Amino acid sequence: MDTQAADDLTVTALVTDAIAAPSMHNAQPWRFRCSPGCRTLQVWADPERALPQADPDGRALHIGCGAALFNLRVSAAHAGLPVRTTLLPDPDRPGLLASVELAPEGEADGGIERLRRLHPAVHERHTSRYPFEETGLSAAQLTGLRHAAEQEGAALSFPVGWHLQLVLELAEEGEERDRTAAAGEHDAGTDPLAGGAGGGSREQGPVRPDLAEWTRTGAEAESAVDGVPAYAFGPKRRGGRAPVRDFAAGAEVPGRESAAFESHPHLALLSTERDRPVDWLRAGQAMQRTLLAATLEGLSSSFVTQSLEWPELRWPLREPVSGHGLVQMVLRFGYGPRGTATPRRPVEEVLEFDPA
């Protein structure tokens, strides 16, 4: 086997692990491009997979791509490859989100052994839309998850008391807006890669079309390579306060059962100090590092994004005492089913090798 072929196979393995990352509505908004000789791997946003109503500024798109980037780093560590990562390497090409130099001379990402230990969780982690036990997380687990986020430049906090109640109420409000679409209107930007929050012209539109576009039911669910298929919806909630999104939007799904969810869900807020595209990419890496660490701890997880899709609901999520930090993701942890694997596009659809 020649060296180039070996390089191609290695990069294909890295990207196979990378695309196991979660993304909003499983839109998989990423592309990868390998330089001649496979010494540099670029991570690009795929604007055709943006969510213009729910994610007008591309924040969730960047977070998803950041999660894929972190998986790639874990995969490289597993393969014994040191890497050097540069976020947003070219200001003139905002769609180029990261450049990963493989086996560079000199400086490389540190903590390769810590990254390698996370590799078994890459394909074990699945979003779980099932009920969790009421059992809380241990102090050691809370500390470990906080540390995982801190290693990637983010903060993780666990709301309690009235703050937790506020987070739950905001999620319920977002879910209700999502379900009715007529409860309010959502700003939609024309270009999610145009430079962050507030950029570009604005127009109005409901959130519901994004959900409809990425929900897979009936025969489509069995052959889908993206989106959220009906078999991954989880049971319909008939009790409890766990803020699990109902992708069926109240519609009947054949064979779908109902279940009581936990009354006291264990939520975590992932925050960054600033709210720029580079912060979103860091948040995505921190989120994924936290999720993989939780998986190794035997915890299941899901996402609470309903309130994050509405600016006026996202703002009050901030840490109540200092008011510092911008919440990038709300996570739900607990003991319960790991969840069902959702489909992924074939690697050859997302990975391009540049000619020598």
Side-chain angles (χ1 to χ4, degrees), residues 2-345:
D2 59 45
T3 302
Q4 180 63 37
D7 284 342
D8 289 359
L9 289 174
T10 298
V11 170
T12 298
L14 299 184
V15 173
T16 298
D17 285 346
I19 64 176
S23 57
M24 190 172 182
H25 302 349
N26 194 29
Q28 303 171 45
W30 44 61
R31 293 185 290 117
F32 302 84
R33 182 179 299 167
C34 197
S35 66
C38 294
R39 295 307 176 194
T40 300
L41 189 58
Q42 296 176 335
V43 182
W44 289 78
D46 187 341
E48 294 184 359
R49 292 175 171 272
L51 305 172
Q53 286 81 41
D55 184 37
D57 297 314
R59 187 184 62 82
L61 180 150
H62 284 73
I63 289 174
C65 290
L69 172 61
F70 185 77
N71 269 6
L72 193 153
R73 290 170 51 203
V74 169
S75 185
H78 177 69
L81 283 174
V83 300
R84 180 166 52 216
T85 303
T86 305
L87 301 181
L88 301 175
D90 187 346
D92 295 327
R93 294 187 292 174
L96 176 55
L97 303 185
S99 177
V100 181
E101 187 179 353
L102 303 176
E105 295 182 3
E107 181 184 359
D109 286 352
I112 190 169
E113 182 56 38
R114 291 193 297 272
L115 290 174
R116 184 185 290 117
R117 287 199 293 266
L118 294 172
H119 188 263
V122 166
H123 293 281
E124 290 180 12
R125 182 222 62 84
H126 302 301
T127 301
S128 179
R129 301 181 183 92
Y130 290 88
F132 294 166
E133 298 175 12
E134 298 286 355
T135 306
L137 279 62
S138 69
Q141 288 174 324
L142 297 177
T143 299
L145 296 180
R146 288 193 188 98
H147 181 61
E150 290 169 358
Q151 287 180 287
E152 300 300 327
L156 194 72
S157 61
F158 298 89
V160 296
W162 69 265
H163 188 204
L164 174 60
Q165 294 306 309
L166 175 62
V167 173
L168 291 171
E169 290 170 6
L170 292 171
E172 290 166 358
E173 170 67 14
E175 180 80 7
E176 179 61 23
R177 292 188 185 194
D178 206 27
R179 183 164 45 245
T180 63
E185 289 188 328
H186 192 290
D187 289 336
T190 58
D191 183 0
L193 304 176
S201 60
R202 318 292 286 184
E203 56 188 37
Q204 300 293 318
V207 172
R208 175 51 50 192
D210 279 343
L211 274 178
E213 180 179 358
W214 296 100
T215 300
R216 311 289 185 235
T217 57
E220 184 186 27
E222 300 303 321
S223 59
V225 296
D226 55 18
V228 182
Y231 59 76
F233 286 1
K236 185 176 181 179
R237 189 177 70 179
R238 58 174 165 77
R241 294 204 67 188
V244 178
R245 170 172 257 143
D246 182 8
F247 278 88
E252 291 298 321
V253 176
R256 188 186 186 199
E257 298 179 349
S258 63
F261 282 69
E262 63 267 32
S263 298
H264 303 283
H266 305 292
L267 304 184
L269 306 178
L270 183 81
S271 305
T272 56
E273 283 298 314
R274 301 181 68 179
D275 206 26
R276 306 161 298 171
V278 69
D279 301 298
W280 303 337
L281 288 171
R282 290 181 182 130
Q285 293 182 89
M287 177 190 77
Q288 189 65 359
R289 186 166 202 144
T290 302
L291 292 172
L292 297 184
T295 300
L296 292 183
E297 283 288 320
L299 296 171
S300 295
S301 59
S302 64
F303 304 96
V304 184
T305 64
Q306 298 94 319
S307 54
L308 298 172
E309 296 161 24
W310 303 86
E312 65 273 24
L313 301 183
R314 180 187 174 211
W315 183 257
L317 290 171
R318 295 181 305 157
E319 200 279 318
V321 177
S322 68
H324 292 162
L326 282 299
V327 175
Q328 304 294 353
M329 184 56 67
V330 182
L331 302 171
R332 167 179 167 254
F333 293 109
Y335 294 96
R338 281 290 172 89
T340 304
T342 49
R344 291 296 185 272
R345 289 188 288 165

